[in-house]
Amino acid sequence: MTLPAATDTVVIGAGQAGLTMSALLADAGRDHVVLERRSRLGGGWQDRWNSFCLVTPAWTASFPGFAYDGPDPDGYPPRDEVVDRLTAYASRLGAPVSLETEVRAVVPQPSGGFRVETSQGDLSAASVVVATGSFHVPRIPAIGTALPADVFQLHTHEYRDAAELPPGGVLVVGSGQSGVQIAEELSVAGRPVVLSVGSAGRIPRRYRGSDVFRWLAGLAAEDPAIGVRLPSVDELPDRRLRSAGNPHLSGHDGGHDTNLRQFAADGMTLIGRIEAVQDGRLRLAGDLPERLAAADRFFDERFRELADAYIERAGIGAPPDDRVPVTFEPPVLEELDLRRAGIGTVLWATGYGLDYGWVKAPILDEYGFPRHQRGVTDIPGLYFLGLLWQHNQASATLFGVSHDARHLAAQMGLRPS
């Protein structure tokens, strides 16, 4: 589409957050455009590896005016199905999306409103909604520079398939969702895998007879009649936890737990934090037992009581918890010689950094996150949607963004026309 010279609202990003915002703007009769830097719709899901599957059930891919109506609501769709669903949502909306339109600057104007500078020209807007998520710049630790030159390195952002990697074993650094799923995929493909365990926890695939996300989505809805909810960002003990790795589980092969102890029992090598690299040898912290114990405790400490309270207050007849713990204790290594272990690739599953340098306003906190109250900034007319922990841990998920979007729409004064 051809960009207008001016519009009421510019939405930046055409993933689930941007399209949800577009739906609410359209319902209110608000003139707007959605700017997307990619050449096709589908958001950041297009950047996932080839065999990626959602870790949430298909029914969570429901958006305002576009409830999931596919054949397998309890399945875990592959990457391309998620992309196709977002593309179909944009078509259903008739969303005014301008593809291949990179936003280079958002500049507040002295008289109010914004100048939005893009690769397709500039336009003015009374308000701007930044819906670009929180996964911007692949983050690789500085320690990577000390690895031997003959060891191939890549970030999960670049990973597509085991067959594309050089021969030999793979060291996966990081045990959030992506790292654990890719480590499992590589192991199934016959690669020797070493997994450096990080601080991310794990959650069960099923809890009390249902997919765990049945309970988490119910908590995210904050139904006042239920009276129990997920903790909000203001209740985090440390705001740096907004960048913590998401707890791991898998949607592959019908969905299953990803228990690191079971991985080790099945032959995967687990190591703790990498402290230093010298001459191709990794010096390791002896913290593997503590990291595994923390991952095991995560669900029980953070979500189990909330889920139980939700089940009770909603009057749901759910069976008791039938999880069976895995007690295997893998050996604790103090050193790993990459050559002796046959490691030809290091895959960094170490997350992403934020990049909002193109927003020309003093809105960032000391950790690089925008300062806001559930998406509303101190700059009149500037909003955010789809951030990690925008309101709670569900905010950046398929099922959580609609709750934040409706709140944001109310703060923007949007009313259905």
Side-chain angles (χ1 to χ4, degrees):
M1 63 174 288
T2 301
L3 289 184
T7 189
D8 187 273
T9 303
V10 166
V11 179
I12 304 173
Q16 66 258 21
L19 293 178
T20 297
M21 195 72 244
S22 179
L24 299 178
L25 288 163
D27 283 349
R30 187 72 64 88
D31 184 47
H32 70 285
V33 294
V34 183
L35 308 181
E36 172 56 55
R37 64 176 175 83
R38 295 177 176 84
S39 60
R40 58 175 296 206
L41 291 164
W45 302 103
Q46 304 172 73
D47 302 333
R48 308 301 189 192
W49 63 98
N50 293 346
S51 67
F52 172 88
C53 289
L54 274 186
V55 299
T56 60
W59 57 259
T60 62
S62 295
F63 314 109
F66 197 59
Y68 180 81
D69 59 357
D72 188 10
D74 295 317
Y76 306 95
R79 175 194 65 189
D80 292 348
E81 187 175 323
V82 182
V83 170
D84 290 345
R85 180 151 182 80
L86 286 173
T87 302
Y89 185 39
S91 178
R92 173 79 64 86
L93 294 173
V97 179
S98 177
L99 296 172
E100 297 183 325
T101 305
E102 180 182 1
V103 175
R104 294 170 174 167
V106 173
V107 185
Q109 298 300 286
S111 57
F114 303 87
R115 184 178 74 254
V116 181
E117 302 173 2
T118 86
S119 58
Q120 302 293 336
D122 298 353
L123 67 160
S124 61
S127 59
V128 172
V129 180
V130 179
T132 57
S134 299
F135 305 116
H136 301 151
V137 182
R139 189 169 51 200
I140 295 179
I143 202 170
T145 61
L147 289 170
D150 61 348
V151 173
F152 180 65
Q153 299 185 54
L154 77 165
H155 190 272
T156 54
H157 186 80
E158 303 162 308
Y159 173 79
R160 290 295 175 269
D161 189 273
E164 296 181 357
L165 301 183
V170 182
L171 167 62
V172 178
V173 182
S175 55
Q177 283 184 8
S178 295
V180 167
Q181 290 176 77
I182 293 173
E184 184 179 37
E185 174 178 306
L186 292 168
S187 183
V188 170
R191 294 297 188 100
V193 174
V194 178
L195 177 62
S196 176
V197 177
S199 59
R202 64 178 179 86
I203 56 178
R205 178 73 277 169
R206 296 182 66 81
Y207 178 68
R208 296 191 62 182
S210 293
D211 188 283
V212 70
F213 281 98
R214 178 185 180 187
W215 316 128
L216 299 184
L219 291 165
E222 299 189 332
D223 185 344
I226 300 296
V228 62
R229 57 170 178 77
L230 293 175
S232 72
V233 64
D234 295 329
E235 296 170 286
L236 281 175
D238 187 334
R239 293 182 75 84
R240 287 176 294 184
L241 291 174
R242 292 173 293 178
S243 297
N246 286 322
H248 56 83
L249 74 172
S250 178
H252 286 83
D253 300 323
H256 58 272
D257 290 356
T258 50
N259 190 305
L260 300 181
R261 295 183 188 277
Q262 189 62 56
F263 283 4
D266 292 340
M268 189 181 297
T269 300
L270 305 186
I271 61 175
R273 180 172 53 86
I274 302 170
E275 292 185 324
V277 180
Q278 185 175 10
D279 298 328
R281 294 189 299 274
L282 311 184
R283 188 176 76 236
L284 306 173
D287 58 355
L288 179 61
E290 292 78 17
R291 287 176 179 261
L292 292 176
D296 289 344
R297 295 193 307 266
F298 180 85
F299 176 76
D300 292 292
E301 291 181 345
R302 295 281 294 275
F303 297 117
R304 182 179 58 80
E305 288 185 4
L306 292 172
D308 289 344
Y310 175 82
I311 291 167
E312 179 181 357
R313 296 183 190 187
I316 299 170
D321 181 6
D322 62 355
R323 291 174 294 159
V324 178
V326 179
T327 59
F328 181 77
E329 289 288 351
V332 178
L333 303 182
E334 296 181 353
E335 183 179 274
L336 180 73
D337 187 313
L338 294 177
R339 292 185 180 87
R340 185 173 298 174
I343 299 297
T345 300
V346 173
L347 192 150
W348 298 101
T350 43
Y352 292 79
L354 299 166
D355 180 13
Y356 292 111
W358 45 272
V359 180
K360 305 302 181 182
I363 60 166
L364 302 182
D365 66 17
E366 63 270 36
Y367 306 116
F369 278 85
R371 290 190 298 271
H372 65 94
Q373 292 294 321
R374 202 168 180 180
V376 180
T377 76
D378 292 336
I379 307 295
L382 181 60
Y383 308 95
F384 285 80
L385 183 62
L387 292 170
L388 284 171
W389 283 93
Q390 178 154 322
H391 176 54
N392 57 36
Q393 195 160 6
S395 287
T397 66
L398 286 168
F399 64 87
V401 70
S402 295
H403 301 304
D404 287 339
R406 291 188 176 96
H407 175 86
L408 194 59
Q411 300 302 305
M412 296 171 67
L414 301 181
R415 297 291 183 270
S417 57

